[in-house]
Amino acid sequence: TSDNGVIIDADQFEYNKKSNILNANGNVKVNDTINNYIIYAEKIIYNKNNEIIFTKNKSKGISYNDNTEITADNFEYNKLKNILIADKNVRVENKVKDYIINSEFATYLMNEEKIFTKGNTSSIIQSKYNIVSRNMFFFKILMKLTSDENTTINDKFNLYNLKKFVYFINSEELRGE
């Protein structure tokens, strides 16, 4: 437990007091009580001086503000900036709002409630729209998904090939070229 709202549970700890770096292994759980976020992983490195947590293997983050769950191989969580970077096999899911976003790399700006991906990205919206694109932006508050890259959107009846798109999820309004 630290004085900045971070509580870490793990099977093993190794703390270097001189560098102020904590290594934790096995069933690691990081609870950020200030930013309302929980991170699970097999291994973490916590750089206390810079307030950055690096995770390795089977990383999962859950926002208890809105039940968004992010899984990936690795995370970099900057507590001061409240930014989570997910790398390799990234999946962003919210079962309540019914969306899934898959990519190889994603950045979640938690204060702005904005997620952007790099590279190939696919998403399933409202269990009926399959969207395949690159470099997507998802604005959680506005429930808006967008990309300036070639995109295919498929529902059960239609297939759209677009050069770029904006999709307003709540109103189910699609704009594209």
Side-chain angles (χ1 to χ4, degrees):
T1 304
S2 68
D3 58 355
N4 64 353
V6 174
I7 302 167
I8 301 173
D9 294 313
D11 293 339
Q12 298 176 341
F13 289 94
E14 180 182 308
Y15 177 64
N16 184 322
K17 190 172 184 176
K18 193 173 192 176
S19 65
N20 211 10
I21 292 177
L22 172 74
N23 288 291
N25 293 299
N27 301 309
V28 182
K29 177 183 176 184
V30 179
N31 187 354
D32 184 340
T33 60
I34 293 172
N35 293 315
N36 296 321
Y37 210 77
I38 297 175
I39 295 174
Y40 299 93
E42 289 296 312
K43 177 181 179 179
I44 71 156
I45 299 169
Y46 179 26
N47 182 324
K48 176 79 168 87
N49 291 339
N50 296 323
E51 291 296 340
I52 297 175
I53 297 171
F54 300 93
T55 71
K56 299 285 185 202
N57 303 329
K58 299 180 184 175
S59 303
K60 176 168 72 168
I62 301 171
S63 168
Y64 37 111
N65 288 336
D66 72 349
N67 297 310
T68 298
E69 182 176 298
I70 301 174
T71 57
D73 289 356
N74 309 306
F75 286 162
E76 178 183 322
Y77 174 53
N78 186 317
K79 181 175 170 34
L80 297 177
K81 295 179 180 177
N82 207 17
I83 295 173
L84 178 76
I85 298 172
D87 184 35
K88 295 186 182 157
N89 301 310
V90 179
R91 181 180 179 97
V92 179
E93 182 173 11
N94 187 309
K95 292 180 181 175
V96 174
K97 295 188 178 178
D98 195 14
Y99 63 80
I100 298 170
I101 301 169
N102 295 299
S103 188
E104 280 302 304
F105 186 89
T107 301
Y108 179 18
L109 307 176
M110 292 186 234
N111 292 339
E112 299 173 37
E113 294 293 343
K114 178 171 41 175
I115 297 169
F116 58 90
T117 69
K118 287 185 183 175
N120 294 333
T121 305
S122 65
S123 58
I124 301 170
I125 308 298
Q126 299 170 328
S127 298
K128 61 183 173 180
Y129 299 106
N130 295 307
I131 302 171
V132 177
S133 189
R134 296 179 48 80
N135 307 326
M136 282 193 201
F137 287 85
F138 178 53
F139 302 89
K140 290 175 59 176
I141 294 170
L142 300 173
M143 292 300 288
K144 178 174 106 173
L145 188 64
T146 183
S147 175
D148 287 338
E149 304 281 343
N150 289 329
T151 302
T152 60
I153 300 176
N154 186 3
D155 62 21
K156 294 179 183 180
F157 307 105
N158 302 296
L159 174 65
Y160 303 97
N161 290 304
L162 305 168
K163 291 181 183 176
K164 62 182 183 176
F165 81 98
V166 176
Y167 181 64
F168 297 92
I169 296 170
N170 291 338
S171 63
E172 296 189 50
E173 178 184 345
L174 174 64
R175 297 178 189 169
E177 291 179 15

